[in-house]
Amino acid sequence: MPYIAKVSVSSQWTPLETLLNVTFASGSTYSIQAFDSSCVRLCNSTTVPTDPEDGECIKNLMQAIYSPDSGTLYVKKGATIPATVAVSKIG
């Protein structure tokens, strides 16, 4: 599982690719794991999400699996405390 990076997540919806400074490869699969005590919202969308509660929430070492499609994976912290995710390519 090639590790890509660990990044801090802001309180604004931001493409995860922008935070990582990478481009997710079509046909690949990625693991996104929230660090302990982190609360992170993920939303795959063709436009920037407008609601702070859009998408799904991962926290406290939870993992999400992501395969790129026609949308963009946006992330934001889901609470006022700092949030960090680690991303690895798994397939």
Side-chain angles (χ1 to χ4, degrees):
M1 160 178 356
Y3 172 75
I4 296 173
K6 169 180 82 168
V7 292
S8 294
V9 178
S10 76
S11 59
Q12 302 297 318
W13 287 111
T14 306
L16 183 56
E17 289 176 314
T18 299
L19 293 177
L20 295 168
N21 197 30
V22 300
T23 299
F24 291 130
S26 179
S28 296
T29 305
Y30 299 86
S31 163
I32 303 161
Q33 183 180 29
F35 271 55
D36 193 25
S37 300
S38 291
C39 178
V40 178
R41 296 208 66 84
L42 305 169
C43 185
N44 189 51
S45 179
T46 56
T47 60
V48 177
T50 56
D51 189 309
E53 300 299 316
D54 282 347
E56 314 236 353
C57 182
I58 60 172
K59 57 185 175 179
N60 297 326
L61 302 177
M62 288 175 68
Q63 177 187 39
I65 304 299
Y66 174 67
S67 295
D69 61 11
S70 61
T72 299
L73 184 62
Y74 292 90
V75 297
K76 69 181 271 323
K77 63 183 182 177
T80 57
I81 59 174
T84 305
V85 294
V87 180
S88 296
K89 184 176 179 184
I90 57 175

